Amino acid sequence: MSTLDIRTIAFPDPDILAKVDGRITDHQQTGIEFVVWSAENPTVEVNRAAIDAIILPYIDAQPTVARLGELPNLKLVQTQTTGYDLVADLVGTDTTVATASGVHAAATAELAVGLALASLRGIDTAVRSMASRSWNHARMRSLADRRVMILGAGGIGEAIRQRLVPFEAHITRVASHARTDEHGRIYGPEDLPKLLPHTEVLIAVTPLTKQTEKLIDAEFLSQLPDNALVVNVGRGKVVDTDALVAELRAGRLSAALDVVDPEPLPHEHPLWGTPNTLITPHVGGDTSAFEPRIEQMLTEQVRRIIAGEPLINVVEG
Ligand SMILES: NC(=O)C1=CN([C@@H]2O[C@H](COP(=O)(O)OP(=O)(O)OC[C@H]3O[C@@H](n4cnc5c(N)ncnc54)[C@H](O)[C@@H]3O)[C@@H](O)[C@H]2O)C=CC1
Ligand SMILES: O=C(O)C(=O)[C@H](O)COP(=O)(O)O
């Protein structure tokens, strides 16, 4: 990967600038300037034509993405998210896209496993029973011996695999290309028809791409066995929400979703009222682990920019 000649880096807010600046000694001597510019902080004195790299805000980056056209000499867009669907159009252009790959893996993986456990063990219904002081004893399903598919065997998928092993689940992994690694076989999308009928828990953690948009549609869902659980911590648009709602209303499947389509889920949306549904508001990566990890990652990226070294987490076109 080639290096980029960057002279001015825009940070989304003064706090993150101060934290990265505080970790890099003597950056002033390098001649590289740090400024604050984002839709929330569109500082008027900033010379936008000089900005050649921008770090996007973490939450609600869309308004800033919508204004990237105001930066005519942009060479690098650095996200604080792992997903880069908001700036996917830039991949393969003269503007390099780099992500926060790795930063969110542990936290998102633990939520995926937590959602699976909560749904299988009925922890959500137990919380509701507490409100009515009801002792609703029922035999629930365990993760032990459960056949779990990780759909999206990448960075977060691997963190999920590691966390599932101690639960003694039977794990099947699927990625965009079939291959074998030190943990065994990784299947490809072409293997799904033979795998889905044996999948009791599906954990979806793929990026949103043209190939994955509505990958989990009515046909896909119909191949899952009765009572299967669909966990999604990737992107909401990977699931055809109407098709999932139909399965949930029929009582055939359960769902535990950190990401939904649309987001935020509107007050009147049917998904709020479907049975056997557990929803968290896209919080997989937004935990106490985020700030120290993103500061470390951004500091390393800025250090590489200053040193003229190849960047990390670059999305290949
Ligand atoms: N819920 C949350 O808060 C968070 C969600 N995410 C989402 O998780 C996604 C995955 O992140 P990483 O694991 O770091 O990405 P990654 O790039 O390391 O792994 C993605 C995996 O998905 C696989 N994949 C792609 N297309 C596929 C297809 N058609 N069928 C099967 N597998 C396919 C790839 O082969 C790869 O193994 C992000 O793109 C983001 O959308 C990321 C962080 C937090
Ligand atoms: O890193 C990601 O990808 C995530 O999903 C974040 O944790 C939240 O990102 P946004 O959905 O707010 O872009």
Side-chain angles (χ1 to χ4, degrees):
M1 147 83 207
S2 61
T3 57
L4 297 173
D5 180 19
I6 286 168
R7 312 310 305 167
T8 302
I9 305 173
F11 288 75
D13 60 66
D15 278 359
I16 189 85
L17 186 158
K19 282 175 180 150
V20 172
D21 198 13
R23 286 169 173 243
I24 293 180
T25 48
D26 302 335
H27 99 257
Q28 288 84 355
Q29 274 87 64
T30 66
I32 292 181
E33 202 177 341
F34 292 175
V35 299
V36 172
W37 190 87
S38 68
E40 291 76 36
N41 291 283
T43 326
V44 280
E45 313 86 71
V46 168
N47 175 8
R48 281 171 281 180
I51 295 174
D52 37 27
I54 185 169
I55 299 167
L56 294 178
Y58 173 40
I59 302 297
D60 205 16
Q62 178 57 49
T64 303
V65 170
R67 294 182 59 170
L68 290 182
E70 295 175 32
L71 311 177
N73 297 310
L74 204 52
K75 293 177 190 155
L76 172 66
V77 174
Q78 169 70 58
T79 70
Q80 296 191 60
T81 57
T82 307
Y84 56 91
D85 33 293
L86 286 182
V87 287
D89 289 352
L90 293 176
V91 175
T93 70
D94 290 343
T95 304
T96 297
V97 175
T99 72
S101 176
V103 166
H104 304 277
T108 307
E110 78 189 16
L111 184 65
V113 176
L115 284 170
L117 275 173
S119 180
L120 291 172
R121 300 301 300 262
I123 293 171
D124 51 340
T125 47
V127 169
R128 284 194 284 274
S129 295
M130 284 178 67
S132 56
R133 302 182 175 221
S134 308
W135 187 263
N136 292 324
H137 182 107
R139 178 172 290 176
M140 307 303 293
R141 289 179 295 169
S142 172
L143 254 184
D145 303 334
R146 198 86 13 234
R147 294 191 300 264
V148 181
M149 175 189 287
I150 299 170
L151 181 66
I156 299 174
E158 170 55 17
I160 294 171
R161 189 200 65 78
Q162 290 171 11
R163 284 155 182 76
L164 282 176
V165 168
F167 287 100
E168 302 176 30
H170 300 294
I171 303 164
T172 300
R173 297 174 298 159
V174 179
S176 53
H177 302 287
R179 60 184 188 279
T180 301
D181 70 5
E182 66 273 30
H183 305 296
R185 180 88 179 138
I186 298 178
Y187 293 90
E190 65 282 4
D191 298 308
L192 284 169
K194 74 169 184 255
L195 298 173
L196 289 176
H198 307 286
T199 300
E200 296 171 298
V201 177
L202 170 77
I203 302 182
V205 61
T206 64
L208 177 63
T209 64
K210 290 189 179 73
Q211 289 72 39
T212 62
E213 186 164 359
K214 293 203 175 165
L215 169 68
I216 303 177
D217 60 5
E219 163 70 15
F220 185 115
L221 293 170
S222 73
Q223 296 173 69
L224 292 169
D226 288 356
N227 300 318
L229 167 66
V230 176
V231 178
N232 190 7
V233 294
R235 281 291 181 263
K237 287 184 193 302
V238 172
V239 174
D240 179 336
T241 304
D242 291 344
L244 181 62
V245 166
E247 289 278 18
L248 294 168
R249 278 185 171 153
R252 206 182 72 79
L253 301 178
S254 307
L257 311 167
D258 183 48
V259 288
V260 290
D261 176 32
E263 284 184 16
L265 200 59
H267 186 261
E268 303 305 327
H269 197 281
L271 206 48
W272 286 122
T274 53
N276 301 319
T277 306
L278 175 58
I279 297 171
T280 51
H282 198 149
V283 289
D286 200 358
T287 71
S288 52
F290 170 67
E291 284 196 7
R293 290 175 186 228
I294 196 71
E295 282 166 30
Q296 188 179 22
M297 193 242 111
L298 291 177
T299 302
E300 173 60 13
Q301 194 74 299
V302 170
R303 187 197 69 71
R304 284 168 179 251
I305 290 172
I306 292 171
E309 293 176 15
L311 303 185
I312 50 173
N313 293 344
V314 169
V315 181
E316 301 300 340

